[in-house]
């Protein structure tokens, strides 16, 4: 699975992204959780771009965790990239520097380091997102022994998408319509179709699927 966004990151997002990327990140392979190597980027191709991008493993999506005990899924990996590869290069440089200088620090000291470094990358909050500029795509390729499917979710304004998901969650809590409680994926708690519909109504998102 690939997430590719074209929005400028907020001050808090930059810090949390760096903090998370310095922690163990996992992928599911043959029903076993394996750890990605630290500070390592991977080449990816977005379905709506004719160029390669660098991407990093990032646990913010959480798909390997959500599918860990799902009998339908034995392999699951998630990568995240930015269309702004200059920004991505700065993040990767910080992660490499972290491994060289700060890996041996305790957790509190590590977080202070990532907060300080993140503050140097993003010093001011970005402007409100513009759908004509701040676009996103999520690409998921799934396959079995003899068949497969590719789902492409094209959207815009990732921060506004996040806000709408939170608003939909609040509406369902107030209406007593949550599908699951506790530590759950948004799709399981709210319903994947409900999330997609909420985004579509705001003009943030559309999706397509094809057999492969």
């Amino acid at each position: 699975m690939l997430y590719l966004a074209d929005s400028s990151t907020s001050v808090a997002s930059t810090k949390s992204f760096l903090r998370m990327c310095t922690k163990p990140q996992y992928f599911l392979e043959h029903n076993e959780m394996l750890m990605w190597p630290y500070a390592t980027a991977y080449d990816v191709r977005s379905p709506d771009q004719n160029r390669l991008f660098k991407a990093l493993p990032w646990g913010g999506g959480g798909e390997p965790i959500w599918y860990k005990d799902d009998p339908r899924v034995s392999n699951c990996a998630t990568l995240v990239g930015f269309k702004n590869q200059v920004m991505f290069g700065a993040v990767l440089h910080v992660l490499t520097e972290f491994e060289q200088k700060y890996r041996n620090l305790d957790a509190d000291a590590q977080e202070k380091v990532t907060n300080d470094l993140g503050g140097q990358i993003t010093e001011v909050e970005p402007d409100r997102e513009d759908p004509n500029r701040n676009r996103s795509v999520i690409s998921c390729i799934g396959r079995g022994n003899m068949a497969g499917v590719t789902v492409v979710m094209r959207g815009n304004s990732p921060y506004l998408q996040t806000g709408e998901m939170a608003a939909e969650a609040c509406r369902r809590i107030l209406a007593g319509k949550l599908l699951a409680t506790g530590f759950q994926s948004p799709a399981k708690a709210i319903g994947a179709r409900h999330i997609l519909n909420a985004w579509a109504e705001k003009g943030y998102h559309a999706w397509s699927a094809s057999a492969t």
Side-chain angles (χ1 to χ4, degrees):
M1 187 175 297
L2 169 67
Y3 290 77
L4 185 68
D6 193 19
S7 287
S8 298
T9 56
S10 70
V11 173
S13 289
T14 304
K15 294 177 180 180
S16 65
F17 186 84
L18 285 176
R19 180 176 65 251
M20 195 172 295
C21 284
T22 61
K23 305 301 181 184
Q25 303 292 309
Y26 295 95
F27 61 98
L28 186 64
E29 185 171 288
H30 304 306
N31 294 310
E32 182 181 358
M33 294 295 279
L34 303 176
M35 183 180 149
W36 295 94
Y38 289 122
T40 302
Y42 298 87
D43 289 324
V44 296
R45 185 182 65 82
S46 169
D48 62 346
Q49 298 283 331
N50 285 322
R51 54 181 282 208
L52 294 177
F53 295 88
K54 293 291 185 181
L56 284 164
W58 176 56
E63 286 83 4
I65 299 296
W66 307 132
Y67 288 115
K68 180 178 181 296
D69 297 316
D70 191 314
R72 303 168 299 173
V73 179
S74 58
N75 302 283
C76 183
T78 302
L79 291 169
V80 176
F82 309 129
K83 192 175 178 183
N84 184 344
Q85 291 286 278
V86 174
M87 169 71 169
F88 183 90
V91 170
L92 184 59
H93 175 76
V94 166
L95 294 177
T96 302
E97 181 182 358
F98 183 92
E99 294 305 310
Q100 295 170 347
K101 298 180 180 180
Y102 309 114
R103 172 56 63 190
N104 62 330
L105 299 178
D106 61 40
D108 290 340
Q110 286 184 355
E111 181 162 353
K112 183 180 186 308
V113 167
T114 54
N115 284 341
D116 290 344
L117 294 174
Q120 295 172 24
I121 294 175
T122 304
E123 298 179 354
V124 297
E125 296 294 349
D127 294 333
R128 188 176 179 84
E129 290 170 313
D130 178 353
N132 293 318
R133 297 174 61 91
N134 303 127
R135 293 172 176 169
S136 64
V137 63
I138 302 172
S139 172
C140 180
I141 300 173
R143 65 151 297 169
N145 293 336
M146 299 287 289
V149 64
T150 297
V151 177
V152 179
M153 305 167 72
R154 295 177 177 86
N156 65 79
S157 311
Y159 281 109
L160 296 179
Q161 289 184 40
T162 303
E164 179 57 29
M165 184 188 296
E168 180 65 18
C170 291
R171 285 191 289 266
R172 294 195 162 269
I173 290 172
L174 293 173
K177 293 183 177 180
L178 277 185
L179 303 179
T181 59
F183 183 66
Q184 304 286 350
S185 71
K188 185 170 286 188
I190 305 172
R193 299 284 182 178
H194 296 310
I195 295 172
L196 296 178
N197 289 340
W199 281 339
E201 287 178 2
K202 295 289 187 179
Y204 295 150
H205 176 273
W207 65 277
S208 61
S210 59
T212 56

